[in-house]
Amino acid sequence: MKKSLKLWVTLNFCLFSLHWPLHAAEGKADLVTSDYAEERVVDLSIVKKVTGKKKIVFVSIPQYTEYLEGFIRGMVVDYSDNPVEGVLVRVGDPGEENSMFDPTVTNFNGIYRIRFSIPFDNKGRVDIRNKLVYAPDWEQKRDSLGNSYEPLEKETPFHLFYNRSNKLLAFAEGLRKSFVNPVQRGEDTAKKEQPGAKKPKKAEDKKESGGGDDFFKAFGGGF
């Protein structure tokens, strides 16, 4: 009786193991029919990982959990819209434990790719809310190296959602393109020119304007 039971468990485990690579081989074309991520989420796949063991009668077999894996992709540029290389981008605050997202740095084209591995919930969905943090170490680099990149937007919230049943993928973020500004030790960053800011007019321009500048000065000359 014990031999037949072990044979039955072993046979079913082998069939289960043979089925596993089929899910791991699926690509985005097979996984997504409704894409609302606008190419911000790429290289999707579903994999199974051993997350423990379960015992059936006298036999212990691995317990698997399915994960959605892929990359969050974006770009970092300076105020002149030039790509910036070597800027750290991560999910969550520095020091915060986050095993689902790997921090990364931008390449020479200013592109970053944050790898994620997120377990499905019991409804076959991935529903994550967090934030992207840009150049979280810019102050330390400025103080230690003498120069760095200060991000205009230091962090932006995002919402990543995937429903396996209807193959719907969505990604929403507050800012599409992140700007950073080169800073050096001892500089007053508040005086740095912001993108889109109006430049002060020359004296002759003020005369021609008939004093109209006084109205706009009330708004600080910003955008």
Side-chain angles (χ1 to χ4, degrees):
M1 179 65 181
K2 288 184 179 180
K3 288 185 179 180
S4 60
L5 178 60
K6 287 184 178 180
L7 179 62
W8 179 83
V9 172
T10 303
L11 179 61
N12 278 273
F13 177 69
C14 290
L15 291 173
F16 179 78
S17 300
L18 288 173
H19 181 65
W20 169 49
L22 296 178
H23 289 288
E26 289 180 317
K28 186 173 180 180
D30 305 310
L31 299 176
V32 179
T33 55
S34 300
D35 189 354
Y36 298 99
E38 299 182 359
E39 296 302 319
R40 292 284 273 120
V41 179
V42 297
D43 298 341
L44 282 185
S45 62
I46 295 177
V47 300
K48 289 182 179 179
K49 299 180 181 180
V50 177
T51 54
K53 292 183 178 181
K54 57 183 177 180
K55 195 170 185 179
I56 300 179
V57 191
F58 304 105
V59 181
S60 293
I61 62 174
Q63 184 173 0
Y64 290 92
T65 300
E66 290 188 314
Y67 286 72
L68 180 70
E69 295 193 343
F71 294 85
I72 297 175
R73 183 177 63 177
M75 175 180 283
V76 173
V77 299
D78 62 18
Y79 288 175
S80 300
D81 213 31
N82 299 312
V84 180
E85 181 181 3
V87 176
L88 176 65
V89 184
R90 59 168 291 134
V91 171
D93 293 317
E96 177 182 305
E97 289 293 331
N98 197 331
S99 59
M100 295 186 293
F101 298 90
D102 294 338
T104 187
V105 295
T106 56
N107 62 17
F108 66 96
N109 288 318
I111 302 296
Y112 64 84
R113 286 165 58 92
I114 296 179
R115 181 183 177 277
F116 62 83
S117 182
I118 307 171
F120 284 94
D121 62 18
N122 55 11
K123 295 182 180 179
R125 300 178 306 183
V126 164
D127 192 354
I128 296 291
R129 294 177 185 269
N130 210 313
K131 61 182 178 181
L132 290 168
V133 181
Y134 311 101
D137 56 349
W138 73 271
E139 291 175 298
Q140 292 91 332
K141 283 187 176 180
R142 178 199 59 189
D143 296 339
S144 61
L145 302 178
N147 58 76
S148 180
Y149 286 98
E150 178 187 7
L152 176 63
E153 293 288 341
K154 295 176 174 55
E155 59 186 49
T156 55
F158 73 85
H159 184 191
L160 173 61
F161 179 83
Y162 176 71
N163 190 331
R164 190 173 184 180
S165 62
N166 59 11
K167 299 183 178 181
L168 184 148
L169 174 68
F171 184 88
E173 186 192 1
L175 187 71
R176 291 183 180 272
K177 189 180 290 184
S178 305
F179 294 88
V180 295
N181 183 46
V183 292
Q184 295 181 351
R185 188 187 297 116
E187 284 188 337
D188 184 1
T189 58
K191 294 181 179 180
K192 284 289 183 180
E193 182 179 340
Q194 302 294 312
K198 294 181 179 179
K199 295 182 179 179
K201 289 188 176 182
K202 297 179 181 178
E204 56 268 21
D205 294 335
K206 291 183 180 179
K207 292 180 181 179
E208 293 178 3
S209 64
D213 274 350
D214 293 336
F215 175 80
F216 293 101
K217 285 181 181 177
F219 296 93
F223 54 90

